[in-house]
């Protein structure tokens, strides 16, 4: 498995990017260029030379937006980013499926309905068919209030979309949406990997903590500060393709990323899972 995370420092060229990744001991990376072209190719070449896996190209937008102009713009962005991911050989291009809310990734009473499921299927097909990627995959990050919201709904989407270049993104924290799943998250992780493991292209590393105030408050926190069962997560991910990236995200400072990496590596060491290999730099 490959560990990666966001780089908080500024860099001006591929060499500086690779050096910063090496300083953190990362062997996977978020791709830092937003458009296809010569610059993207230079960063991709540098990653290959340094044995850095490009984990993800983000396409963050709302392909289900009710406003037509916004929806068409989002789908075009997803197609553009999928083409970029294919150019640079990223493990995946990732987005959420979309929301009927006024907030691009927000909850809505109709998000988890058969009609919306069908709309997700059509949008994913539209994105993949326009690009016809051969080196990468289009994936959807699981979310608590939009599809895919479980291993079973992801399986249903894979079957319905019926495209070989549609694959799986795994964010276990986003799947924890109740006290039941919070306290049984190890079983949820095992179930997800058992059902979808061969299709998983990238994974996000976060943590989650339940608060004591009513009704239910579940907060995303830094890895190691919550109750996500990292022993189970690392054990299950270690069964997959050894290049599967585990990507730390959503932290606000370099010190937090360092602490998160130290925690994940410490759990891996207890399990005798080697995450110490650094890229060549």
């Amino acid at each position: 498995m490959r560990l990666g995370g966001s780089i908080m420092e500024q860099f001006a060229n591929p060499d500086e990017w690779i050096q910063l990744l090496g300083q953190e001991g990362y062997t996977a990376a978020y791709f830092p260029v937003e458009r296809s072209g010569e610059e993207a190719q230079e960063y991709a070449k540098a990653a290959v030379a340094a044995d850095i896996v490009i984990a993800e190209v983000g396409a963050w937008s709302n392909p289900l937006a009710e406003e037509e102009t916004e929806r068409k713009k989002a789908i075009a962005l997803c197609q553009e980013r999928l083409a970029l991911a294919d150019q640079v050989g990223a493990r995946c291009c990732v987005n959420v499926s979309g929301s009927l809310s006024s907030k691009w990734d927000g909850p809505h009473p109709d998000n988890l309905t058969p009609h919306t499921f069908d709309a997700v299927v059509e949008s994913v097909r539209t994105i993949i068919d326009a690009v016809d990627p051969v080196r990468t995959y289009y994936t959807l990050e699981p979310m608590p209030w939009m599809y895919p919201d479980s291993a079973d709904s992801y399986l249903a989407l894979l079957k319905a979309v019926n495209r070989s270049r549609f694959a799986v993104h795994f964010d276990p924290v986003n799947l924890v949406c109740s006290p039941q799943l919070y306290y049984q998250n190890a079983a949820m992780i095992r179930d997800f990997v058992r059902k979808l493991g061969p299709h998983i292209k990238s994974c996000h590393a976060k943590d989650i903590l339940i608060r004591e105030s009513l009704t239910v408050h579940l907060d995303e926190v830094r890895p190691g500060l919550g109750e996500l069962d990292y022993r189970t997560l690392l054990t299950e991910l270690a069964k997959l393709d050894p290049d599967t990236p585990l990507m730390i995200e959503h932290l606000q400072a370099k010190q937090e990323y360092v602490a998160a990496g130290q925690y994940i590596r410490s759990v891996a060491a207890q399990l005798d899972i080697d995450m110490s290999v650094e890229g060549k730099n």
Side-chain angles (χ1 to χ4, degrees):
M1 148 189 6
R2 303 277 191 137
L3 185 63
S6 297
I7 296 297
M8 306 304 287
E9 298 93 337
Q10 297 294 317
F11 50 88
N13 55 59
D15 289 342
E16 291 181 5
W17 177 58
I18 293 297
Q19 183 178 12
L20 290 170
L21 290 168
Q23 289 174 3
E24 303 304 325
Y26 292 157
T27 55
Y30 297 109
F31 196 62
V33 180
E34 295 186 351
R35 295 183 180 276
S36 299
E38 185 176 344
E39 182 185 24
Q41 197 60 47
E42 290 302 315
Y43 275 84
K45 289 178 181 178
V48 170
D51 190 29
I52 298 293
V53 166
I54 300 171
E56 307 174 10
V57 171
W60 310 114
S61 58
N62 187 4
L64 298 186
E66 289 196 296
E67 202 282 310
E68 183 179 9
T69 300
E70 181 185 352
R71 183 172 66 253
K72 288 182 177 180
K73 183 178 179 181
I75 290 174
L77 176 66
C78 291
Q79 292 166 343
E80 176 186 312
R81 295 294 169 80
L82 181 58
L84 170 61
D86 205 46
Q87 178 194 359
V88 303
R91 294 268 303 181
C92 67
C93 172
V94 60
N95 191 17
V96 297
S97 63
S99 176
L100 301 179
S101 170
S102 58
K103 186 173 187 289
W104 74 280
D105 61 349
H108 188 277
D110 294 329
N111 275 358
L112 296 171
T113 63
H115 176 77
T116 301
F117 181 95
D118 292 342
V120 172
V121 170
E122 288 307 310
S123 72
V124 171
R125 287 176 174 173
T126 297
I127 292 161
I128 293 174
D129 290 350
V131 178
D132 192 21
V134 296
R135 302 177 66 199
T136 195
Y137 296 83
Y138 188 69
T139 63
L140 297 176
E141 180 175 0
M143 292 285 284
W145 48 57
M146 63 178 70
Y147 293 118
D149 66 329
S150 66
D152 288 339
S153 67
Y154 221 138
L155 277 172
L157 279 173
L158 285 173
K159 182 178 180 180
V161 170
N162 192 28
R163 295 293 188 272
S164 63
R165 288 287 156 172
F166 180 47
V168 172
H169 189 282
F170 187 24
D171 190 321
V173 163
N174 286 4
L175 293 171
V176 177
C177 57
S178 69
Q180 291 82 356
L181 285 172
Y182 178 84
Y183 290 114
Q184 299 171 26
N185 71 81
M188 178 271 291
I189 291 167
R190 286 192 292 267
D191 180 66
F192 193 97
V193 174
R194 178 176 61 84
K195 292 176 176 176
L196 295 161
H199 302 283
I200 296 174
K201 301 303 173 183
S202 189
C203 180
H204 283 168
K206 303 185 295 199
D207 212 330
I208 191 162
L209 187 64
I210 197 167
R211 304 295 183 181
E212 293 183 351
S213 54
L214 290 173
T215 54
V216 177
H217 294 266
L218 293 163
D219 290 335
E220 180 182 318
V221 294
R222 191 184 78 212
L225 298 182
E227 292 297 326
L228 192 75
D229 192 329
Y230 264 88
R231 291 182 65 88
T232 296
L233 179 61
L234 297 183
T235 297
E236 294 301 308
L237 293 181
K239 299 174 182 178
L240 306 180
D241 175 355
D243 281 337
T244 301
L246 179 60
M247 304 298 294
I248 307 167
E249 67 163 357
H250 289 175
L251 302 178
Q252 301 303 310
K254 177 179 178 178
Q255 185 177 1
E256 291 184 287
Y257 277 97
V258 171
Q262 289 173 341
Y263 170 72
I264 293 169
R265 289 187 179 98
S266 71
V267 176
Q270 294 169 19
L271 298 169
D272 199 26
I273 295 173
D274 185 9
M275 301 186 76
S276 63
V277 178
E278 298 184 6
K280 306 164 192 172
N281 49 65

